Amino acid sequence: DGGITQSPKYLFRKEGQNVTLSCEQNLNHDAMYWYRQDPGQGLRLIYYSQIVNDFQKGDIAEGYSVSREKKESFPLTVTSAQKNPTAFYLCASSIRDGPYEQYFGPGTRLTVT
Amino acid sequence: GENVEQHPSTLSVQEGDSAVIKCTYSDSASNYFPWYKQELGKGPQLIIDIRSNVGEKKDQRIAVTLNKTAKHFSLHITETQPEDSAVYFCAAGLYSGGGADGLTFGKGTHLIIQP
């Protein structure tokens, strides 16, 4: 089956620790995205990547880092510099040149205490 | 940057009635407007989308309209069913020959279908 996988579904960390969220896709999509969702809020763009070894900051990149070493993978690191890391994190991918639909993974719920 | 406003935040309708959700956007350069449905604890799923060169698009019970001049677009669901209950998000994005930037989302509408 083609799709996007995010692991783990639930993640718990202590404050001050960095944590890396996994995102893998087998859709052969060039573009990948990370969004953050807080209760009662829409999705906010953290980082996106249109091709391997290249990525751009989104609206709320502070306290996060990414890498794009492989087309299939776009891991997100939540660093200790992120002031409010507890949230639902969603990864998405799309064909770079259209048709523009972004396919979303099932999400990772991160809780930092 | 782009800003997307979505209304209402909660919408309760009787089963079989129609539901309408409205969104406005600020950046006139945006050219792609998708609607997503999200069920509790899951990732959003695209239900319909529209591009700026089209005024209306329909897929069975779901339709989307776009008014570029007023910078607003709407989702219409007819003959609502219990399985339509979910949170719906509108979004706006700019796609060019250079690739796909991220989407800007509204804050969502919780649609409740009353039996």
Side-chain angles (χ1 to χ4, degrees):
Chain A
D1 283 338
I4 301 176
T5 56
Q6 291 186 245
S7 60
K9 188 169 179 63
Y10 299 96
L11 191 53
F12 298 89
R13 281 293 183 271
K14 294 290 187 185
E15 197 173 319
Q17 293 179 334
N18 291 356
V19 58
T20 297
L21 280 60
S22 168
C23 178
E24 304 277 332
Q25 55 98 0
N26 61 3
L27 299 167
N28 199 32
H29 286 170
D30 289 302
M32 296 186 74
Y33 313 82
W34 274 106
Y35 293 89
R36 168 185 172 136
Q37 185 175 29
D38 294 285
Q41 301 292 315
L43 285 69
R44 292 183 290 167
L45 183 66
I46 304 173
Y47 269 97
Y48 63 102
S49 167
Q50 295 178 356
I51 55 173
V52 173
N53 292 323
D54 187 49
F55 47 83
Q56 286 76 41
K57 293 182 179 179
D59 300 320
I60 55 166
E62 185 175 349
Y64 299 98
S65 66
V66 293
S67 63
R68 187 84 188 277
E69 297 176 1
K70 298 188 299 182
K71 187 175 183 178
E72 303 79 20
S73 178
F74 191 40
L76 173 74
T77 297
V78 184
T79 75
S80 57
Q82 168 49 233
K83 290 185 172 60
N84 295 298
T86 294
F88 190 44
Y89 289 88
L90 288 156
C91 179
S93 70
S94 74
I95 295 174
R96 183 183 176 200
D97 297 322
Y100 313 135
E101 176 177 355
Q102 290 189 15
Y103 293 83
F104 281 85
T108 292
R109 187 166 300 280
L110 173 64
T111 302
V112 177
T113 57
Chain B
E2 175 66 274
N3 182 51
V4 176
E5 299 282 342
Q6 182 173 348
H7 299 281
S9 57
T10 303
L11 178 60
S12 182
V13 301
Q14 290 293 126
E15 182 178 349
D17 288 351
S18 295
V20 180
I21 303 170
K22 299 182 179 182
C23 289
T24 60
Y25 61 99
S26 61
D27 189 349
S28 57
S30 290
N31 58 10
Y32 175 63
F33 307 93
W35 285 89
Y36 284 87
K37 176 182 180 182
Q38 186 178 30
E39 296 177 347
L40 194 63
K42 296 184 178 180
Q45 283 194 304
L46 181 77
I47 55 171
I48 196 167
D49 57 9
I50 193 167
R51 299 176 195 178
S52 59
N53 59 348
V54 175
E56 184 173 358
K57 183 177 178 181
K58 190 173 181 181
D59 183 5
Q60 300 183 344
R61 296 187 297 110
I62 295 172
V64 57
T65 58
L66 171 65
N67 183 326
K68 284 173 54 180
T69 304
K71 289 189 282 190
H72 67 69
F73 55 114
S74 300
L75 176 71
H76 304 252
I77 305 174
T78 59
E79 301 173 10
T80 53
Q81 300 169 2
E83 54 265 35
D84 294 331
S85 293
V87 179
Y88 292 80
F89 291 97
C90 62
L94 173 63
Y95 289 81
S96 63
D101 293 342
L103 295 168
T104 300
F105 283 80
K107 291 189 176 181
T109 295
H110 185 193
L111 177 62
I112 302 166
I113 308 301
Q114 303 279 6

